[in-house]
Amino acid sequence: MRILTSVLASSSALLSGVVGSASAACARLAFSRVSYGRAYPSSMPAAACKAAASSSAAADADAGAQKPWLFVGLGNPGRMYKGTRHNVGFEMIDAIAEAERISVSSKQFKAIVGKGLIGDVPVMLAKPQTFMNASGESVGQLVAYFKIPLNQLVVIYDDLDLPFAKLRVLPKGGHGGHNGMRSIIDHLKQSRNFPRLRIGIGRPPEEMGAISFVLRSFSKQEKEEKQNISNYPLHFLQLEMTFQRGLQAVRIMVREGFNKSATFVNTPQPLEMLNR
């Protein structure tokens, strides 16, 4: 009986050692040995080793994949809001899309989205369709699903506190009373650490409230004059120049980094210095 017990114990120890060695062999096959481009026999089943190697490769690919920049323009959906001051974020996205030939037509996470490249850098362009005050519902979902780093989320929106057609790039900050930005911060768990491109729309006349001002469309006369470039009102020309400058800022940001883009935008231009 003692002999039988001894034999069983030895067999158990031997079996445990074989399984441990086989597991180690599979691990070596999946990592270090693969790096030399050679195949080694393994005592583990081929399917198990293949699954381990595939899992490792997928993890490596995910870690090394370049995350896209996400540029979000804020505004209100619908024809009645098109061309209003509150929708300059939408217009900036349209300007980027046209220049870079990116189709913004896919509907995802309560937004119209487009994906493409600026140079060789992947970018996403989005226009939330939730109405301004609920913009965070869309932005929060886009950031979470596509795993966008917050330093690569850039929100573009109108700003009453900046002179008309003035641009400002900031690395982070509060909502400044802007309800769209307030919603986004709420849906990013109160994080304010994401860049923003602010487009100045100026202050309303004394007799007009801020809400009426930002939702006001251009007059019929202004729209008619816009059809003829020689009759463009000055503010239309300023806004078109602002969109071109904003486009250049976006290109610099994705290719050369945020700091260079901020320097480009925030450094006063000669005309601005004369108007001081």
Side-chain angles (χ1 to χ4, degrees), residues 155-208:
V155 182
I156 306 170
Y157 63 100
D158 59 295
D159 195 326
L160 283 164
D161 293 326
L162 285 177
F164 181 80
K166 172 81 172 178
L167 289 179
R168 180 70 65 194
V169 170
L170 295 173
K172 58 183 179 180
H175 55 71
H178 192 286
N179 288 330
M181 289 295 289
R182 191 196 308 272
S183 175
I184 291 172
I185 291 171
D186 286 345
H187 283 81
L188 294 179
K189 301 178 180 179
Q190 300 303 315
S191 176
R192 303 178 177 192
N193 298 324
F194 56 90
R196 61 282 314 272
L197 174 59
R198 297 157 52 197
I199 302 175
I201 59 171
R203 301 298 302 182
E206 292 183 5
E207 69 278 4
M208 184 181 295

Side-chain angles (χ1 to χ4, degrees), residues 67-119:
K67 297 296 183 184
W69 285 77
L70 173 58
F71 292 91
V72 179
L74 301 188
N76 286 308
R79 293 180 60 185
M80 68 179 294
Y81 296 106
K82 187 175 182 180
T84 62
R85 289 163 175 79
H86 219 20
N87 274 34
V88 291
F90 277 10
E91 293 192 50
M92 186 70 247
I93 290 295
D94 290 342
I96 298 169
E98 182 179 359
E100 299 297 338
R101 299 182 180 179
I102 298 173
S103 174
V104 181
S105 56
S106 173
K107 293 184 178 180
Q108 292 181 281
F109 303 108
K110 302 180 181 180
I112 299 177
V113 178
K115 301 175 184 178
L117 297 171
I118 295 181

Side-chain angles (χ1 to χ4, degrees), residues 89-255:
F90 277 10
E91 293 192 50
M92 186 70 247
I93 290 295
D94 290 342
I96 298 169
E98 182 179 359
E100 299 297 338
R101 299 182 180 179
I102 298 173
S103 174
V104 181
S105 56
S106 173
K107 293 184 178 180
Q108 292 181 281
F109 303 108
K110 302 180 181 180
I112 299 177
V113 178
K115 301 175 184 178
L117 297 171
I118 295 181
D120 59 354
V121 180
V123 299
M124 294 179 62
L125 307 178
K127 297 192 291 185
Q129 301 296 291
T130 56
F131 288 95
M132 181 68 80
N133 293 359
S135 298
E137 294 178 14
S138 173
V139 176
Q141 292 180 58
L142 287 167
V143 168
Y145 183 81
F146 292 104
K147 299 178 181 179
I148 306 293
L150 287 189
N151 65 349
Q152 289 182 208
L153 164 66
V154 183
V155 182
I156 306 170
Y157 63 100
D158 59 295
D159 195 326
L160 283 164
D161 293 326
L162 285 177
F164 181 80
K166 172 81 172 178
L167 289 179
R168 180 70 65 194
V169 170
L170 295 173
K172 58 183 179 180
H175 55 71
H178 192 286
N179 288 330
M181 289 295 289
R182 191 196 308 272
S183 175
I184 291 172
I185 291 171
D186 286 345
H187 283 81
L188 294 179
K189 301 178 180 179
Q190 300 303 315
S191 176
R192 303 178 177 192
N193 298 324
F194 56 90
R196 61 282 314 272
L197 174 59
R198 297 157 52 197
I199 302 175
I201 59 171
R203 301 298 302 182
E206 292 183 5
E207 69 278 4
M208 184 181 295
I211 294 177
S212 298
F213 180 70
V214 299
L215 295 179
R216 192 177 74 170
S217 296
F218 296 110
S219 69
K220 182 179 179 181
Q221 180 182 356
E222 288 172 333
K223 290 177 181 177
E224 290 173 350
E225 288 176 339
K226 189 176 178 182
Q227 304 305 312
N228 186 344
I229 187 65
S230 63
N231 293 327
Y232 253 48
L234 178 59
H235 62 269
F236 271 118
L237 291 174
Q238 287 179 309
L239 199 54
E240 289 300 319
M241 291 173 64
T242 296
F243 290 146
Q244 290 304 311
R245 189 166 170 77
L247 169 63
Q248 191 63 21
V250 165
R251 286 170 170 167
I252 293 172
M253 193 176 297
V254 300
R255 293 171 176 171

